[in-house]
Each structure stands twice: as structure tokens, then as C-alpha cells.
Amino acid sequence: MLEQRSDRAETDAKYWLQLIRSYAGPAPVVVALNKSRGVERPLDRDSLEKMYGPIVAWVATECLPEEDCPSAEPTIVALRSALTAAAEEHWMPEPRKLFPRKWVGIKEWLESLDEEGKNYLDYETFARECATRGEPDPQKQAEVAALMHDGHRDELCAR
């Protein structure tokens, strides 16, 4: 999200896009140009897309309350639409990936550890608990562990 009215918008865009590429590789990006009141400020988008692409959408947004900026709500709707469209594209299969119900049970168990303040778990204990919760396959356990480690806990949906 860039503050579009700032004179630093292009510099900020380069900083954030470089950071995204460092951590997310070629993941598609939706750029929210905030504080725009629905009016887009010129940026050298072609250069930014060549250097940091793929950028799938540039959306001018405003986050002021509707009473302060009557045009704010449509900009948020447009952003939501752009994010939904990006998530539905072929390059992002994760949002549509369904997981076995037993994996959701494993996720819930891990979340209970968080709630208890336990922030470390050795793999042997993890594997044993996976087996207890219905996932005895070591390869599948490794897959669950990778998903949990990558921060995808919220993406698990039962099938």
C-alpha cells in the first residue's frame, strides 16, 4: 500500500516491491495507492512492472470514513475485487487448495499450543501428534509441517 499523495510514492513503491520480491519471489502483486480520493497520481508503472513484476493491478484507494470521503467505499470495493481476481488466477493455486479434515485437526492442536504460550515444538513430537490425529504418513506430516512453518495456518480448509 502506497500513500499516493506523498512525493515519495515512487521511491516507496521501489522499496516495497523489492522487499516483496526478496521474500515472495514472483508472486503477483496488487498495489493499493492509498489516500488518493479515487484519483490516480502518475507513477512510472511500466518501469516498476519491468523491474518488479508481475503487478496485476494498481488500485487507487481511500481509507477515510465514508462521512469524510463519500467516494471512499467504492475504492475499497475495487481493491477487494482486484485482490479476489488475483487470488483466482492460475498462478495462485493456494487459495483454492483443500486439505484433508485431519490436517485441520492438526492445525487446531498447534493453535492450542500457541494459546498455551508454547512457541517451540520438536519434529519428533510433531510427527507423533500428527499420527495420533490421523496422519501417520511421514511424507504427509512433512507437508503439513512445511505449510504450518510457512505461515499458511489460516489457509487450511477442510474437504
Side-chain angles (χ1 to χ4, degrees), residues 13-134:
K14 289 176 183 176
Y15 171 80
W16 287 110
L17 290 168
Q18 183 175 5
L19 194 63
I20 290 166
R21 291 297 161 237
S22 295
Y23 288 98
V29 174
V30 173
V31 177
L33 303 163
N34 197 29
K35 297 186 178 180
S36 67
R37 296 195 181 261
V39 178
E40 296 183 25
R41 179 183 184 155
L43 293 172
D44 187 1
R45 294 180 185 185
D46 289 337
S47 294
L48 291 170
E49 289 180 16
K50 284 178 188 169
M51 289 173 38
Y52 306 105
I55 300 171
V56 297
W58 298 82
V59 184
T61 63
E62 183 57 65
C63 60
L64 287 172
E66 191 68 21
E67 59 271 5
D68 295 336
C69 182
S71 61
E73 182 63 23
T75 69
I76 301 305
V77 169
L79 177 60
R80 190 176 300 122
S81 295
L83 291 169
T84 300
E88 290 174 350
E89 288 294 332
H90 67 280
W91 57 70
M92 286 189 67
E94 293 86 0
R96 292 174 304 285
K97 188 172 183 179
L98 295 177
F99 299 87
R101 187 169 306 282
K102 58 189 166 188
W103 289 14
V104 175
I106 295 167
K107 176 191 87 143
E108 290 169 350
W109 166 70
L110 289 169
E111 287 172 345
S112 75
L113 294 178
D114 282 346
E115 292 167 6
E116 295 170 12
K118 296 178 182 175
N119 59 5
Y120 175 78
L121 178 66
D122 65 85
Y123 193 80
E124 185 178 318
T125 302
F126 174 78
R128 187 174 52 251
E129 291 294 331
C130 284
T132 300
R133 286 168 171 70

